[in-house]
Amino acid sequence: MLDFLMLALLAAAFLAALGYVWACEHLVKRPNHSHEPHS
Amino acid sequence: MTWQGWTQFAIFALLSTAVVKPLGGYIERSLDRRSSLARLGAPVENLFYRLAGVEPEQEQGWVEYAVALLCFHLAGIVALYALQRLQAALPLNPQHFDAVTPDLALNTAVSFATNTSWQSYAGETTLGYLTQMAGITVQSFLSAASGIAVAIALVRGFARRSASTIGNFWVDVTRITLYVLLPICVVAALFLVWQGVPQTLHSYVTATTLEGQPQPIALGPVASQEVIKLLSGDGGGFFNANSAHPFENPTPFTGVVEMLLIFLIGVALTSTFGRMVGDRRQGWALYAAMAAMFLVGAIVVYRAEAVGSSAYPSSIDQSAGPTQSGGNMEGKEVRFGVAQSALFATVSTASSDGAVNSMHDSYMPLSGLVLMANMMVDEVIVGGPGSGLFGILLFAIVAVFIAGLMIGRTPEYLGNKIEASEVKMAMLALLIVPAFILGLPAVAAVLPVGLAGLNNAGPHGFSEMLYAYTSGAATNGSAFAGLHANTPFYNLTLAVAMFAGRFLVIVPVLCIAGTLVTKGRLQPAAGAMPTHGPLFVALLIGTIVIVGGLTFFPAIALGPFAEHFAALTGATY
């Protein structure tokens, strides 16, 4: 029973890491507006 | 402090510097299969690819590279977890050890797959030979190889122009394991066996003590594990006493060689970096920054330990002499004395290795501060294999960004324009570790399950907790000792710290590699800041010290600083 709990924790951490990859990819894909003139 | 002690420091510094150029060049050639050994091993390497279905010519973008790395280590964690849980039914367990408990097995599996090697267990009373060899040792190889692979991928990001790929993870890991780690380990393991380290599958032997009592003497395949423990930046000992045990570190000679093994790949990769970016001075600049920070830390620790403690009674002679090394010898091996213990402790914490030949819990508060600070700055002072190089390159990105703000120019590094994407990812990677180093002790300090693990009160007790999570999140693995960490609370929270400290840093590093590799090279401009000279080295060190200082000063003030000043008034904990 505890083995399933440990492996579930590991699976959750792995999925979170994959989500983190996705988040990083989207963070750097966002267009950079920092040099656009301000209104 | 004695001339013998300083001589050890000088010999170690010279040896560490001497290996940078030849080994750095060898690693660079091995990655492209240009070294003699790599050409010789090509059929074996190709066989691995065929068996695994890997196309070695097919390179990956950063997302593919990161996902491959995560899947690879997930499989490693599951395999090591299973080995520990099933070891009672598996062969090569002559002491008939039971299965490791689930929370400890998870902690240990994550620990070795993340190149941390935090150990909440004593190896000689917990793990069978199969678990040590097929589990711990294999993960030490693979976690080191993947760390080096990530660093190389980042360097390709700096070196390549207008490309879309950063290498092939499977190819990088295979070549680093076969041509870099394995050959060094074979030679060094034979050296350790010559010096007296056991390498056997026989069960433990029983000796009779002078009092006539039976005394089991633990043995095992120690030499083969000892070498990769040091070379990989892993540090997880076969025995609980780690490199203080005479079967792991039998002589002062092995002590020096073990320290060199810890630094070997970390220092050499600066040269590999310089070669790959086409300007070797860039590599030497990084090495100079690492060496300067390391030497300052080592001297502070040596001095603090050599002076000793004013809290000892005056009847205790702490002066150095022909029959004793003097200073604070609590928790230290008489064989190694103060100088080699202080040097080993600094090497181990600066390098992400975490092996110990003395008990850090017994160090003077200021020494404990340096050992913690070495880890808190993301282990960029040489650091682990690969993690040290990519760590200091993250700080280099921040340093050129700050320099760009000061002089009003777009930041550049190695002909690459450093833009918002790279700075955001660098800051993410640099801030994720402090979040866990500071957040988790804060939780442990207010929960009864956290406080129950302490063996000391006051600031020293807080240092024990802070050190444990620092060691975990910075993937060092050394223990301050004094903390009873084999509880579900500490096993699971430390596993979280290690997982986050490794993979949540590696992902943004690969992301930076992926964004840099697509860019074209900027033409050198007269106003660009040179990054190979003393000015940049000073700026880089300043950035590391200021970021580290601002982030961790409050926590350090509550731990080692408070203990240091309390000790001046005679209070001990």
Side-chain angles (χ1 to χ4, degrees):
Chain A
M1 183 62 193
L2 277 175
D3 287 318
F4 286 116
L5 179 62
M6 296 301 139
L7 293 175
L9 285 173
L10 182 60
F14 178 70
L15 290 175
L18 288 182
Y20 186 69
V21 173
W22 177 85
C24 286
E25 190 190 15
H26 282 262
L27 199 59
V28 296
K29 269 187 180 171
R30 278 172 51 189
N32 184 2
H33 297 293
S34 60
H35 298 298
E36 289 185 355
H38 295 286
S39 58
Chain B
M1 293 188 280
T2 61
W3 69 265
Q4 292 95 335
W6 289 119
T7 305
Q8 289 190 57
F9 275 57
I11 289 172
F12 178 72
L14 286 173
L15 288 174
S16 298
T17 307
V19 298
V20 171
K21 193 175 168 186
L23 185 59
Y26 174 75
I27 293 173
E28 192 238 348
R29 291 193 301 279
S30 295
L31 289 165
D32 294 337
R33 216 150 75 172
R34 285 184 284 115
S35 69
S36 310
L37 198 60
R39 283 196 293 270
L40 201 67
V44 179
E45 186 190 333
N46 291 335
L47 179 66
F48 281 124
Y49 298 147
R50 274 201 296 278
L51 290 173
V54 170
E55 293 289 338
E57 305 305 325
Q58 196 174 336
E59 292 212 342
Q60 298 163 322
W62 84 264
V63 174
E64 286 174 280
Y65 203 98
V67 172
L69 181 143
L70 290 172
C71 292
F72 181 61
H73 287 301
L74 176 71
I77 293 171
V78 172
L80 182 48
Y81 181 86
L83 270 172
Q84 294 173 86
R85 295 291 293 144
L86 299 172
Q87 72 169 2
L90 293 172
L92 291 176
N93 184 11
Q95 302 309 120
H96 307 292
F97 291 130
D98 284 336
V100 179
T101 58
D103 57 302
L104 177 58
L106 184 67
N107 178 287
T108 306
V110 172
S111 174
F112 282 87
T114 56
N115 200 241
T116 308
S117 78
W118 171 270
Q119 294 172 293
S120 291
Y121 63 92
E124 65 269 44
T125 56
T126 311
L127 300 182
Y129 293 165
L130 185 69
T131 311
Q132 295 268 30
M133 290 189 297
I136 301 292
T137 305
V138 167
Q139 289 308 314
S140 297
F141 270 99
L142 300 180
S143 61
S146 81
I148 300 170
V150 171
I152 295 299
L154 179 59
V155 178
R156 287 190 189 117
F158 284 111
R160 291 183 178 178
R161 302 293 156 216
S162 305
S164 59
T165 58
I166 59 171
N168 183 313
F169 174 75
W170 308 111
V171 172
D172 289 342
V173 164
T174 306
R175 289 183 182 168
I176 291 160
T177 306
L178 286 179
Y179 309 134
V180 180
L181 300 177
L182 212 49
I184 298 173
C185 283
V186 169
V187 174
L190 290 172
F191 164 79
L192 288 182
V193 169
W194 168 51
Q195 287 288 299
V197 176
Q199 180 70 20
T200 176
L201 294 177
H202 285 295
S203 58
Y204 299 174
V205 296
T206 302
T208 303
T209 64
L210 292 174
E211 291 88 4
Q213 299 300 313
Q215 167 77 51
I217 307 289
L219 298 171
V222 184
S224 55
Q225 186 172 323
E226 183 69 14
V227 172
I228 190 64
K229 160 198 135 178
L230 302 158
L231 188 69
S232 68
D234 220 333
F238 194 94
F239 302 108
N240 193 32
N242 210 291
S243 283
H245 195 293
F247 283 173
E248 285 201 26
N249 190 5
T251 65
F253 185 24
T254 57
V256 174
V257 172
E258 290 196 1
M259 287 188 284
L260 190 61
L261 282 169
I262 292 173
F263 262 16
L264 206 56
I265 300 214
V267 294
L269 280 174
T270 58
S271 173
T272 308
F273 164 74
R275 289 161 191 266
M276 288 179 70
V277 299
D279 183 356
R280 296 185 189 188
R281 297 171 303 174
Q282 302 288 343
W284 284 114
L286 297 186
Y287 179 75
M290 290 176 174
M293 289 185 286
F294 167 74
L295 284 175
V296 169
I299 290 168
V300 170
V301 174
Y302 182 31
R303 186 184 183 283
E305 297 307 305
V307 169
S309 173
S310 58
Y312 284 152
S314 57
S315 57
I316 295 177
D317 181 11
Q318 295 186 73
S319 59
T323 57
Q324 64 173 25
S325 70
N328 172 31
M329 279 298 289
E330 183 192 299
K332 294 186 181 65
E333 261 278 16
V334 175
R335 295 182 294 141
F336 304 130
V338 161
Q340 195 171 111
S341 300
L343 187 57
F344 199 109
T346 315
V347 166
S348 178
T349 49
S351 67
S352 133
D353 189 70
V356 295
N357 76 349
S358 54
M359 296 303 108
H360 296 181
D361 194 37
S362 294
Y363 274 58
M364 302 303 295
L366 287 184
S367 304
L369 163 67
V370 172
L371 304 184
M372 266 191 264
N374 281 344
M375 298 185 281
M376 285 169 169
V377 293
D378 248 2
E379 303 203 322
V380 297
I381 310 169
V382 178
S387 61
L389 180 61
F390 66 66
I392 202 162
L393 286 173
L394 290 174
F395 275 109
I397 289 172
V398 176
V400 294
F401 173 65
I402 292 170
L405 290 178
M406 288 194 291
I407 61 176
R409 284 183 61 91
T410 303
E412 292 171 26
Y413 188 49
L414 306 171
N416 293 277
K417 200 171 167 185
I418 301 298
E419 294 173 294
S421 298
E422 291 80 35
V423 176
K424 274 190 281 191
M425 286 296 119
M427 289 315 299
L428 180 62
L430 292 176
L431 292 177
I432 205 87
V433 173
F436 285 88
I437 289 178
L438 296 173
L440 289 171
V443 172
V446 295
L447 289 181
V449 285
L451 296 170
L454 294 180
N455 279 334
N456 296 84
H460 195 78
F462 179 71
S463 291
E464 287 172 352
M465 282 195 295
L466 182 63
Y467 191 103
Y469 288 109
T470 303
S471 179
T475 70
N476 181 273
S478 67
F480 209 44
L483 182 71
H484 179 57
N486 189 11
T487 64
F489 173 78
Y490 278 111
N491 279 334
L492 295 180
T493 52
L494 281 165
V496 168
M498 293 184 282
F499 191 94
R502 180 71 169 179
F503 299 123
L504 301 193
V505 172
I506 279 177
V507 169
V509 167
L510 291 173
C511 184
I512 292 171
T515 59
L516 284 175
V517 82
T518 59
K519 297 182 181 183
R521 180 182 282 270
L522 296 171
Q523 291 303 315
M529 194 180 96
T531 53
H532 57 263
L535 181 63
F536 178 72
V537 172
L539 179 69
L540 184 56
I541 293 173
T543 305
I544 293 167
V545 171
I546 289 170
V547 170
L550 289 177
T551 309
F552 294 108
F553 183 77
I556 285 172
L558 291 172
F561 270 142
E563 189 182 355
H564 172 72
F565 289 113
L568 293 180
T569 66
T572 55
Y573 297 93

